[in-house]
Amino acid sequence: MKRRICVISGGRMDYGHLFKVMKSIEKSKKLELLLVATCMHLSPAHGNTYKKIKEDGFKVSKKIECLLSSDSSIGIAKSVGLATVSFAEVYSDLKPDMILIMGDRFEILAAVQAALFAKIPVAHIGGGDSTEGAFDESIRHSITKMSHIHFVTNHAAYKRVCQLGEDPSKVFNFGSPTIDYILDNEYISKAELESIINFKFLKNNFLFTYHPVTLSNSSNEHDIKKILLALEHFSDTCGIIITKSNADNGGHLINSFIDEFASCHENVISYNSLGQFIYYNLLNTVDFMIGNSSSGLYEMPSFNKPTINIGNRQKARERSVSIFDTKVETKDIISSIEKALAFKKTNVVNPYGSGNTSEKIIEVLENIELSNNFLQKEFHNYYSS
C-alpha cells in the first residue's frame, strides 16, 4: 500500500518550492499525493492561484478557505483559528500517513497544529532559517518542534534545528527544492516574455516585491512611501515589474500604494501572481531584484544576478555575495539600485544548494520507518563545536 503524503500549499510563496517534490511524489511507486490548497490560493485578491495548480496537472484533494478579508492582527489570528478547525476536518476525511509542508506561513502553523492533535507525522521543508524582522521567525521554529522530519536548506539551518533539540538523524540538509525547478525550467526569449506579460522591457529592468515587516516599529505606509519614492527616480529609465504583497497584516495597504504607483507610470506594471514559469523567466531576464522577499535570497543567486534586500524582514537569513542590504531610506535605496545596475556578472554560489533536492526528499519519504513510537520525540542536547 502506498504511503499517503498530504502536501499543504497556501500560495505562490510555497507552491514553487513544492512543485518538483509533488511531481516526484506522483511518479513514486511507494507514495500517493494528496494536495490541500488553502489561504492565498483561494483568494481573488491574490490571483485565485488554485486554478494554476489544476492547470499544472495536479488534483486538488481539498480546498480550505480560511483567509478573512481583514489583514489586521485580529483578522490574521482569526484566520489561523479557522484554518486549524478546517484542517482537523480535512485530515479526518483524507486520512494521510504524513503531512509535508514548506516554510513558515500562519496557515502552515494551523495545518501543523491540527496534525499534532490528529497524531499525524509532519515533514517540514525550510526549518531552521532565521528572519528576525517578521513573526515568521517564531512560527518557523514552532513548526520545527511539531515536526518529525526536517528538510533544511543550508548548514546554518541544520545547526539551529539541532539546537532546538531535534534528532540529528532526522534532519537532512538537501538544499532548496526550488532550485530543481530553476534548473529544469524552460527559458524563453525576451520578446516572447514581453508578449505573455504584455509589457515592453527597456534597456534596464528590475523586479520589485515587498511584503509587510510584521515585527517592525515603523509603519508599512511609512516604508512603502519611501521605497516607491526611490523607484520613482528610475521609472523613466528602467522597466519595473511588481509582484504584489502577501496576506500578512498590512498587505492590503501596501498593494493599494503599488496599484496607484503602477497606474501613474507607463514603464511600471504589477501582478497579483505570475506563476512560477513566468516568474523564473522574469528573474532570468531582469537585471536585478529589489524588495524584501525571500526569493531574492533563495532564488536570484542561481541566476548570477544581484538582489537589493530592503530592511529587516530577512535579517539573519543566509545570503550570497550578490545580496546588497539597504535601509528603508530613499537615498540608500537609490544608491543600491545604482550599484546593482553596475553589477558585473560572476559565478555566484547559492547557499541554498545546487539541485537534486526533490529526489533526495522523496527517497526519505519513501523509506523512513514510521514506527509505533515515531511521534514520541526525545529532546537531543546539542553542543556546537
Side-chain angles (χ1 to χ4, degrees), residues 287-333:
D287 296 286
F288 62 91
M289 184 175 179
I290 181 170
N292 64 359
S293 168
S294 61
S295 176
L297 281 70
Y298 256 95
E299 294 150 31
M300 198 56 159
S302 293
F303 293 91
N304 289 319
K305 295 180 179 181
T307 292
I308 299 171
N309 178 58
I310 301 174
N312 291 327
R313 187 170 187 268
Q314 302 296 336
K315 184 180 179 182
R317 195 187 283 275
E318 293 297 292
R319 64 235 303 124
S320 72
V321 296
S322 60
I323 310 302
F324 304 150
D325 292 307
T326 186
K327 297 177 182 178
V328 189
E329 296 292 343
T330 301
K331 62 181 179 60
D332 293 330
I333 296 168

Side-chain angles (χ1 to χ4, degrees), residues 133-187:
F135 53 46
D136 301 7
E137 170 88 354
S138 299
I139 292 174
R140 187 183 310 108
H141 298 324
S142 298
I143 290 172
T144 289
K145 292 309 299 179
M146 291 184 281
S147 298
H148 308 85
I149 304 169
H150 310 275
F151 299 116
V152 300
T153 62
N154 58 88
H155 183 63
Y158 174 89
K159 292 197 293 184
R160 290 192 194 98
V161 171
C162 290
Q163 281 180 294
L164 287 168
E166 298 303 294
D167 183 349
S169 71
K170 294 185 176 68
V171 185
F172 304 92
N173 181 12
F174 293 154
S176 172
T178 193
I179 295 175
D180 296 352
Y181 191 101
I182 291 171
L183 295 176
D184 293 343
N185 194 33
E186 174 190 357
Y187 292 98

Side-chain angles (χ1 to χ4, degrees), residues 37 95 124 238-239 283:
K95 296 179 171 51
H124 181 206
C238 293
L283 294 189

